[in-house]
Amino acid sequence: MTDMTPASPTPAAKPKLRPRPQVMKLTDAAAQRITELTKRADSEIVGLRVGIKNGGCAGQSYTVEYAHEVRPTDEVVEDRGVKILIDPKAVLFLLGTEMDYKADKMQAQFIFNNPNQTGACGCGESVQLTAAKI
């Protein structure tokens, strides 16, 4: 006698997911400055939130602010012992960016070395960005 029970279906093979690229990287100087800012904040913070806002002569500018919580939609980047939270609307504009920190006699600021930047205004306050091609 032969077995007439149907063969159990084989599970479909799961597609291999490629690893997600890290949106941003930090230089040692940027990580050190973020650590300093975290220690001297008035209240407890989980890291810095980085984003893009519309405005300025070139059309867009970078934003950096204290992050008091991780939002469910944040892209979390942990690099060199510090945490950066990226606004989901900014991810494609920041993909591949290196965040640095420079200080001299006249100013101190975070610098964004962004491969998606296509232009900047003369005063250095705003930039033109295009979405990364992935």
Side-chain angles (χ1 to χ4, degrees), residues 1 9-10 16 18 20 23 26 34 40 45 56-57 72 75 77 80 87 90 94 112 120 123-124 130 133:
M1 205 154 104
T10 57
K16 287 188 177 184
R18 67 181 179 164
R20 288 175 58 168
V23 176
L26 303 172
I34 292 167
R40 70 177 209 200
I45 63 170
C57 12
E75 180 77 24
V77 173
R80 301 178 192 270
D87 180 349
L94 295 174
F112 295 89
C123 66
T130 58
K133 294 178 179 25

Side-chain angles (χ1 to χ4, degrees), residues 99-133:
M99 185 175 176
D100 196 6
Y101 179 76
K102 303 260 185 203
D104 61 30
K105 291 181 182 180
M106 300 298 287
Q107 64 183 352
Q109 64 184 347
F110 286 108
I111 306 291
F112 295 89
N113 299 311
N114 188 339
N116 306 306
Q117 183 173 318
T118 58
C121 66
C123 66
E125 292 295 319
S126 64
V127 293
Q128 290 175 328
L129 301 171
T130 58
K133 294 178 179 25

Side-chain angles (χ1 to χ4, degrees), residues 69-90:
E69 65 182 356
V70 178
R71 298 176 188 154
T73 56
D74 285 335
E75 180 77 24
V76 179
V77 173
E78 294 187 57
D79 191 17
R80 301 178 192 270
V82 297
K83 190 179 291 188
I84 300 291
L85 308 171
I86 301 174
D87 180 349
K89 293 178 276 184

Side-chain angles (χ1 to χ4, degrees), residues 4-86:
M4 299 303 279
T5 57
S8 61
T10 57
K14 290 184 181 180
K16 287 188 177 184
L17 298 176
R18 67 181 179 164
R20 288 175 58 168
Q22 183 170 314
V23 176
M24 289 179 60
K25 293 182 179 164
L26 303 172
T27 63
D28 289 334
Q32 182 178 353
R33 182 62 178 159
I34 292 167
T35 300
E36 292 168 4
L37 290 171
T38 302
K39 287 180 181 175
R40 70 177 209 200
D42 293 339
S43 59
E44 188 174 331
I45 63 170
V46 296
L48 291 186
R49 187 174 313 282
V50 176
I52 304 287
K53 70 176 182 178
N54 291 332
C57 12
Q60 297 165 306
S61 60
Y62 298 103
T63 62
V64 179
E65 61 189 16
Y66 288 129
H68 298 281
E69 65 182 356
V70 178
R71 298 176 188 154
T73 56
D74 285 335
E75 180 77 24
V76 179
V77 173
E78 294 187 57
D79 191 17
R80 301 178 192 270
V82 297
K83 190 179 291 188
I84 300 291
L85 308 171
I86 301 174

